[in-house]
Amino acid sequence: MVYGEHRTARARLRHDPVECKIDKLSDELLVAILSYLSLKEAATTSLISRRWRYLWQYTSGCLEFYDVDKRPEAALEIMKFCCNLKSLSLFGVNAKEEILEFFLSNCPYLEQVCVSGSECLRNLKVTGPHPSLKSMEISWCHNVKGLEIDAPNLMSFKYIGPDILVPFQNVPQLSELTIGSHYCYSFIFNADKHTSYSSKLRKLKLKYIDGLRIVERAAREATDGFVHKRLKVVKLIGFTGCRSDYKLALHLLEIGRGSLKKIILQPTSDSHGFKIKRVTLIEKRSKQLEAKLPPGAKLVML
């Protein structure tokens, strides 16, 4: 038999039963299956047949782009045909704020947004009704001047970049915060400026780059009585066990007294040949911190 477009359904069932069974599935079920693929993978199914040409546009998958020649146009071309997107990740793509605002405005089901390494992002405003947005990351965008976040259901936020004004306008559900680079200074040493959104934090992760400068300043400055009443978990990445690191950890224990349940220490990788000496120092500091823990809190070493 010659396989062509005019073959009968019975012939297709006899020679290719899987194909025929898939064709019998409803469009709704096919869309649900395609939603398990990334958006780019789902888009390739448009080549199967006329019926499949537009099914991918109704999927609720994720869209990821990695350094697309530093241009976001490719992502936009796909986005024009899909409004059910749930996750958007742009890595090394020079996406301007207008691009992100376009995605947010046209994807009402968007739950996760990640932008990393954009050299063009400067002033991003996430305002308006974004009821589905729950997680957001802005990292390594070194030209950021300001952020304005108004997302009533946002639960997790990660920002690693330049020091900026407090970005949050309305984030009553925010419970997990990861901050790094120069923005750490503002949170650690001017904590009272962040009470409008940090009062409900349950997990705080500090990823400091210029660690020595931060911890030396922490060793000199007091908390001035500021306490995070809901802070549950603190994680310090790059812990070396030196005296200034120890002082910073004590500083954070003081901020979280009364509510802190766990402090996590992740030591820095060692490339200078002092591994044994540093491990001994870290173990010593961890024992000293354990003795200072508030009631009900525990220390975890990674």
Side-chain angles (χ1 to χ4, degrees):
M1 175 179 289
V2 178
Y3 290 88
E5 60 179 351
H6 300 296
R7 60 185 179 176
T8 65
R10 181 175 298 179
R12 291 170 60 190
L13 179 60
R14 183 170 60 251
H15 293 279
D16 198 348
V18 174
E19 178 186 357
C20 188
K21 289 180 180 179
I22 291 178
D23 282 345
K24 287 186 176 181
L25 297 179
S26 65
D27 288 351
E28 290 78 10
L29 187 54
L30 290 176
V31 169
I33 294 173
L34 291 178
S35 293
Y36 284 95
L37 304 176
S38 70
L39 195 58
K40 289 191 291 185
E41 292 172 333
T44 61
T45 63
S46 63
L47 302 176
I48 296 177
S49 68
R50 290 183 179 180
R51 183 191 177 195
W52 288 72
R53 183 175 300 174
Y54 302 109
L55 289 177
W56 67 274
Q57 297 181 17
Y58 300 94
T59 62
S60 56
C62 61
L63 176 60
E64 295 183 354
F65 273 80
Y66 296 84
D67 194 6
V68 190
D69 297 327
K70 293 290 183 179
R71 296 177 290 107
E73 287 82 358
L76 276 180
E77 286 301 317
I78 293 182
M79 165 53 210
K80 290 179 180 179
F81 303 101
C82 186
C83 62
N84 296 323
L85 196 65
K86 283 191 174 182
S87 177
L88 170 67
S89 298
L90 301 176
F91 299 98
V93 179
N94 279 337
K96 296 182 179 179
E97 46 269 22
E98 293 84 0
I99 300 296
L100 294 177
E101 290 167 3
F102 178 84
F103 275 101
L104 289 167
S105 299
N106 291 276
C107 299
Y109 305 108
L110 198 59
E111 296 180 357
Q112 298 179 339
V113 174
C114 173
V115 181
S116 183
S118 173
E119 299 174 359
C120 296
L121 190 65
R122 287 178 172 79
N123 292 285
L124 175 64
K125 292 185 179 182
V126 182
T127 58
H130 300 300
S132 300
L133 188 61
K134 297 179 180 179
S135 176
M136 191 169 189
E137 174 182 341
I138 304 294
S139 60
W140 310 114
C141 301
H142 301 295
N143 294 318
V144 169
K145 302 298 181 183
L147 297 175
E148 184 177 332
I149 311 296
D150 184 344
N153 293 318
L154 187 71
M155 302 175 65
S156 174
F157 187 79
K158 180 177 181 179
Y159 175 72
I160 300 177
D163 192 7
I164 57 175
L165 295 176
V166 176
F168 302 114
Q169 303 297 321
N170 178 33
V171 286
Q173 301 300 321
L174 185 66
S175 60
E176 295 187 8
L177 178 64
T178 300
I179 53 179
S181 194
H182 296 288
Y183 194 64
C184 280
Y185 290 89
S186 175
F187 195 92
I188 295 175
F189 305 116
N190 298 291
D192 56 333
K193 295 182 179 180
H194 301 263
T195 55
S196 63
Y197 70 89
S198 64
S199 61
K200 294 185 179 181
L201 283 182
R202 294 183 179 273
K203 184 176 181 180
L204 170 64
K205 184 176 179 180
L206 302 178
K207 189 173 183 179
Y208 48 88
I209 306 301
D210 190 0
L212 182 60
R213 182 179 175 187
I214 291 181
V215 295
E216 285 181 345
R217 183 174 173 183
R220 298 193 303 268
E221 300 195 16
T223 61
D224 294 326
F226 176 80
V227 176
H228 278 292
K229 296 181 179 180
R230 298 175 182 265
L231 189 60
K232 301 296 183 182
V233 180
V234 170
K235 182 175 182 179
L236 284 174
I237 300 175
F239 187 77
T240 65
C242 65
R243 184 172 181 271
S244 52
D245 276 22
Y246 174 67
K247 291 283 188 177
L248 175 59
L250 289 178
H251 180 88
L252 294 171
L253 287 179
E254 182 69 14
I255 290 177
R257 66 183 184 274
S259 62
L260 191 66
K261 298 300 182 183
K262 184 189 300 184
I263 180 169
I264 304 172
L265 304 179
Q266 180 174 324
T268 183
S269 57
D270 193 340
S271 59
H272 302 291
F274 301 108
K275 185 174 182 179
I276 296 178
K277 182 178 179 180
R278 179 162 295 178
V279 168
T280 302
L281 179 59
I282 290 175
E283 290 177 348
K284 176 183 176 181
R285 294 302 189 192
S286 65
K287 291 180 180 180
Q288 291 175 334
L289 286 173
E290 281 184 319
K292 301 285 187 179
L293 290 175
K298 65 178 181 179
L299 184 146
V300 177
M301 180 70 67
L302 298 182

